[in-house]
Amino acid sequence: MRDPRYSASCASQIQADWLVAIANIRVVADADQGGDKVRAAVDAAWDGILADCRKYGLDISGPAFSDDVEQVLSGTGYNYTRRDFSVFKLADVIKIRHARLDGISGNRCVRFVIGAQAYDGPFATAEVLRRIDNCGRFISRDDGDDAWLKEIASLADKLDACAHEVTVTVLDKLAGIVARLRSSGDPGEHRRKVQRHPGKLVGAQGRPSRGQQHHALHSGGV
């Protein structure tokens, strides 16, 4: 019969090696050299731990290993799936499409569709919106919007990813798009300005537009 002290010592050593292997996955992810590199680190960790367990005749828990991998990759932008144990960067598979600035109930917003390359093919959400303030920052009270939460949950399920990680990736990408739309002068925003200040529309070089000239002639104006 095997000495229980020997088994306990082996288990302790395997646990120590386990922690080192998991920590190494984080180091590779933080280096941000691509999903293939992170997947290789995950495979190396699993192979090393599995070899140790077989050597000492101890069992290994696959689900526990997956839990630790998911946890250590949290916040890195990389996603580890349990469907096929693949690793990919969320920002590489999530795309923002058809983004445009608009308004709703007197508030500015950005409307858009979220697309992604999921394990079973391309996926796209329904159109969603996020309200923004005058500086282009997202308004936090939108976080509880039912339509937004529903589409994020659907996307997270398709990617076998954490909804929070998906949300962070989407908003990070969207922030850059909103900044570009605001700096380039979104046509929708121009139309709203014209509607708010119709009398200030002028043609080239500050002259009244033809529409204003026509209006002036037929209304007795100058």
Side-chain angles (χ1 to χ4, degrees):
M1 180 177 292
R2 177 176 294 171
D3 187 339
R5 290 175 297 179
Y6 174 79
S7 297
S9 176
C10 294
S12 178
Q13 183 60 50
I14 290 174
Q15 180 64 25
D17 292 344
W18 180 306
L19 294 176
V20 171
I22 293 296
N24 184 62
I25 294 172
R26 179 64 184 234
V27 171
V28 175
D30 286 340
D32 198 15
Q33 296 180 350
D36 290 343
K37 294 286 188 181
V38 180
R39 171 62 190 267
V42 172
D43 289 346
W46 172 258
D47 291 343
I49 295 169
L50 182 61
D52 281 350
C53 287
R54 286 175 173 172
K55 176 181 178 181
Y56 298 115
L58 300 176
D59 294 329
I60 182 172
S61 171
F65 178 80
S66 292
D67 287 344
D68 283 355
V69 173
E70 288 179 347
Q71 183 175 356
V72 81
L73 289 180
S74 177
T76 66
Y78 286 97
N79 185 59
Y80 169 79
T81 75
R82 298 190 187 221
R83 287 194 179 106
D84 57 5
F85 309 109
S86 62
V87 178
F88 56 85
K89 194 169 185 178
L90 286 170
D92 290 341
V93 300
I94 294 177
K95 308 295 180 184
I96 305 298
R97 300 173 180 167
H98 314 304
R100 68 188 192 281
L101 298 179
D102 202 349
I104 179 172
S105 302
N107 294 314
R108 297 182 181 187
C109 71
V110 55
R111 296 180 181 273
F112 58 99
V113 171
I114 311 170
Q117 185 62 41
Y119 74 99
D120 58 351
F123 172 79
T125 68
E127 184 181 77
V128 290
L129 65 84
R130 297 288 294 183
R131 282 177 289 185
I132 55 177
D133 61 19
N134 292 335
C135 297
R137 294 171 301 200
F138 301 119
I139 296 176
S140 60
R141 65 174 176 269
D142 274 356
D143 292 342
D145 179 72
D146 289 343
W148 165 257
L149 294 175
K150 177 182 176 182
E151 297 304 329
I152 286 292
S154 296
L155 179 58
D157 181 65
K158 278 290 184 179
L159 297 177
D160 194 19
C162 168
H164 172 72
E165 301 288 339
V166 170
T167 300
V168 169
T169 301
V170 169
L171 292 182
D172 184 59
K173 282 178 163 284
L174 188 61
I177 292 173
V178 168
R180 289 195 294 272
L181 289 174
R182 283 166 53 82
S183 64
S184 63
D186 182 69
E189 180 67 12
H190 175 69
R191 286 194 298 271
R192 289 189 293 279
K193 287 181 179 179
V194 171
Q195 292 169 356
R196 291 195 294 268
H197 307 289
K200 294 185 179 181
L201 181 64
V202 296
Q205 298 179 354
R207 296 191 302 272
S209 66
R210 290 185 179 182
Q212 289 176 313
Q213 294 172 359
H214 178 82
H215 176 75
L217 286 173
H218 290 273
S219 63
V222 177

